[in-house]
Amino acid sequence: MSAPSTLESTHPRAGFVPILLANLLPLVGVLAFGWDAATLAMVYALEVFLSFPLAAAKALFAQQPSKVETDENDHKDPTVADELKERRGSAQLVPWLPPIYPRNVPFVSTVFTGFAWVAVAVGSILSTAIPVADVLTRPEVLVSILALVAASAADGWFDYIRGGRYEAVSAYEVAETHVGQTLFVVFVLMLVTIPEDVSGVALLVGFVAAKVLVEWASFRAAHRDGGPNRILGWLAGPDDPTEPTEPPIVPDGEPTARFSTDNTAVRYTAVQHTLFRSLFFAPWIVISWVVLLAVFTGDGTPLSVVVATAVAFGSLLLLQPAVEFLKFVLRYGPLEYRRYEDDDRDEDRLVAYDTWVDEPQWSVPLHEVRDVTVVRDNLPDHLLDTRTFAATVGWGDDEFERDIGPVSDGEAFATTFDLLVRSTELEPIDRRLAGAAVALAGCAVLGFVLAVAATPSVGTVIQGVYILPFALVPAWGLWRLAYPSAE
């Protein structure tokens, strides 16, 4: 039910007629032919859910760079996602698909996170008007799910990929537009369900009204049918293209030195980073699943419904850490640090080169690399004897804090690139404090398990999952103290 990106017609607005009829057909069927409104409303809801993985896939192929707003704090302490959004280059995985852009991966993560929140909101709304557990087990709903998957895949292929629309949008536009439109549909549903004893027909009318408005806004934006305004402009998504940035300076000739990041250290560090991030997003995904299961169902819930929701949110619980891991690997993994002699400017330069996409990422004169220190709180560096450096590069508006590495030979790396660092040695981790931190974390997890086992209820699980990250904060503080001091 999505608008095509192009339309060969003298009157472009006439192209919206099939889309309008497709959205109104279920409502006409309910009012005129007695179709089941609850079932059709459920099908619309499933379309909302299934649109999230499609939006995530579309964001990967978006060719235009996303506009990234940065301030002084972003330059002082950039996150992995911030740096990855500015990544240059693309990779062609298979010849029959457009290239994917590593810089788009953070926006895919945003789509996955939004899925959990929307699932809880829509599930709560539907449970007030529809016997969801009964509807989900009907054969016609299962058939509709397969039809929606096929229709969404066909629309994405013919409109977005074959139609070339991916060339004109950024991942930010894809993600923000989809999330904004979905939230608008949820808002309309909340208004529809405010009256008590709302019927399936009223819920279906709310779905249809919201979707028609969303489809019309998307159609206008795709066909440039006048300038979008107010609510239609917001639903059509952001329209703020990014000006192309100048490529990094790479002197002519071959580099005089090359140092690649240590792949094993990158993977280990990515695991450490992902586990830490999981403490924040995993509890919310678990809470979303528990709440969704509670509001969707009641006593006598079919096993198929429990299994289906568990599989859906279990997949989300695996996908989100996978995306976090991928973001870190893409940020640090394929880099090769090169030293060039720039005869034109009478200076040597440090160039970070991505060997996977075959593109330089950033470049800076060696004399602008300053305040270099060895990162001491990275566990893989202690285990593998690798080194990661933190440094300030550039001046003025181009000043940026960067992590360089991890590299296998820190001393040789510092010497090769003239890094003024006091020492590349790492003092060992305090095993007593580290052991105490692990024991304290184990006690917190054991307390959660015992509490759920003693009182197995939805409320206990939600409270425990919410409290557990805060209970782990003292353990994390001890673990940080176990690392050697910079003094």
Side-chain angles (χ1 to χ4, degrees), residues 146-213:
L146 295 177
L148 284 173
V149 171
S152 299
D155 178 75
W157 174 256
F158 290 106
D159 173 30
Y160 191 75
I161 302 297
R162 294 292 299 272
R165 192 174 180 188
Y166 71 92
E167 299 175 351
V169 298
S170 67
Y172 171 75
E173 292 177 84
V174 173
E176 289 296 314
T177 301
H178 179 73
V179 172
Q181 292 177 349
T182 303
L183 291 177
F184 177 75
V185 173
V186 173
F187 174 73
V188 172
L189 292 180
M190 291 176 64
L191 295 180
V192 172
T193 53
I194 287 177
E196 296 182 0
D197 301 325
V198 62
S199 66
V201 175
L203 190 63
L204 183 60
V205 170
F207 259 121
V208 172
K211 280 187 57 56
V212 167
L213 188 57

Side-chain angles (χ1 to χ4, degrees), residues 43-364:
V43 170
Y44 271 112
L46 290 172
E47 184 181 13
V48 171
F49 294 149
L50 293 174
S51 64
F52 275 88
L54 177 62
K58 291 167 68 174
L60 281 176
F61 298 105
Q63 183 172 309
Q64 297 301 314
S66 299
K67 188 171 184 178
V68 180
E69 299 290 345
T70 58
D71 55 28
E72 185 177 353
N73 292 329
D74 292 329
H75 287 277
K76 289 182 178 179
D77 190 21
T79 65
V80 173
D82 291 335
E83 295 186 336
L84 188 56
K85 288 176 182 177
E86 298 180 350
R87 201 72 164 177
R88 301 177 59 86
S90 62
Q92 186 89 36
L93 298 184
V94 291
W96 47 274
L97 280 177
I100 63 171
Y101 294 82
R103 63 170 178 255
N104 295 341
V105 173
F107 298 98
V108 175
S109 179
T110 300
V111 173
F112 284 148
T113 304
F115 171 80
W117 291 104
V118 171
V120 172
V122 175
S124 302
I125 294 169
L126 290 178
S127 65
T128 63
I130 298 175
V132 179
D134 294 336
V135 172
L136 284 175
T137 57
R138 296 176 185 174
E140 58 267 31
V141 173
L142 299 179
V143 173
S144 299
I145 293 175
L146 295 177
L148 284 173
V149 171
S152 299
D155 178 75
W157 174 256
F158 290 106
D159 173 30
Y160 191 75
I161 302 297
R162 294 292 299 272
R165 192 174 180 188
Y166 71 92
E167 299 175 351
V169 298
S170 67
Y172 171 75
E173 292 177 84
V174 173
E176 289 296 314
T177 301
H178 179 73
V179 172
Q181 292 177 349
T182 303
L183 291 177
F184 177 75
V185 173
V186 173
F187 174 73
V188 172
L189 292 180
M190 291 176 64
L191 295 180
V192 172
T193 53
I194 287 177
E196 296 182 0
D197 301 325
V198 62
S199 66
V201 175
L203 190 63
L204 183 60
V205 170
F207 259 121
V208 172
K211 280 187 57 56
V212 167
L213 188 57
V214 165
E215 298 285 8
W216 175 238
S218 298
F219 183 86
R220 288 189 59 180
H223 292 76
R224 301 295 187 265
D225 184 19
N229 51 63
R230 294 187 180 180
I231 186 66
L232 289 181
W234 178 74
L235 288 175
D239 185 18
D240 192 9
T242 304
E243 294 295 330
T245 58
E246 293 294 328
I249 297 174
V250 180
D252 296 330
E254 292 296 316
T256 58
R258 302 171 185 255
F259 266 88
S260 296
T261 50
D262 188 287
N263 291 331
T264 303
V266 168
R267 289 192 294 268
Y268 280 27
T269 307
V271 171
Q272 173 184 265
H273 170 82
T274 302
L275 290 176
F276 177 72
R277 292 278 295 171
S278 297
L279 292 177
F280 294 93
F281 63 73
W284 295 109
I285 294 177
V286 174
I287 290 174
S288 299
W289 172 64
V290 174
V291 172
L292 183 67
L293 190 60
V295 300
F296 253 27
T297 60
D299 296 335
T301 301
L303 180 60
S304 59
V305 175
V306 178
V307 172
T309 54
V311 169
F313 277 87
S315 301
L316 187 63
L317 199 57
L318 293 175
L319 280 173
Q320 189 70 24
V323 171
E324 291 295 328
F325 179 86
L326 182 62
K327 285 194 295 186
F328 194 95
V329 171
L330 290 176
R331 161 61 182 87
Y332 292 96
L335 283 182
E336 183 178 77
Y337 298 98
R338 301 177 177 182
R339 178 167 182 162
Y340 286 87
E341 293 181 356
D342 192 344
D343 296 331
D344 294 337
R345 298 174 178 80
D346 194 24
E347 61 186 11
D348 284 7
R349 299 188 74 88
L350 169 61
V351 177
Y353 199 92
D354 190 321
T355 55
W356 182 44
V357 299
D358 198 25
E359 282 277 351
Q361 299 303 314
W362 52 270
S363 172
V364 63

Side-chain angles (χ1 to χ4, degrees), residues 392-407:
T392 302
V393 301
W395 299 98
D397 294 337
D398 295 327
E399 181 177 315
F400 212 93
E401 298 295 326
R402 294 195 181 275
D403 285 345
I404 303 175
V407 294

Side-chain angles (χ1 to χ4, degrees), residues 379-395:
L379 180 60
D381 284 344
H382 290 269
L383 298 177
L384 302 174
D385 198 30
T386 53
R387 296 294 182 270
T388 303
F389 298 91
T392 302
V393 301
W395 299 98

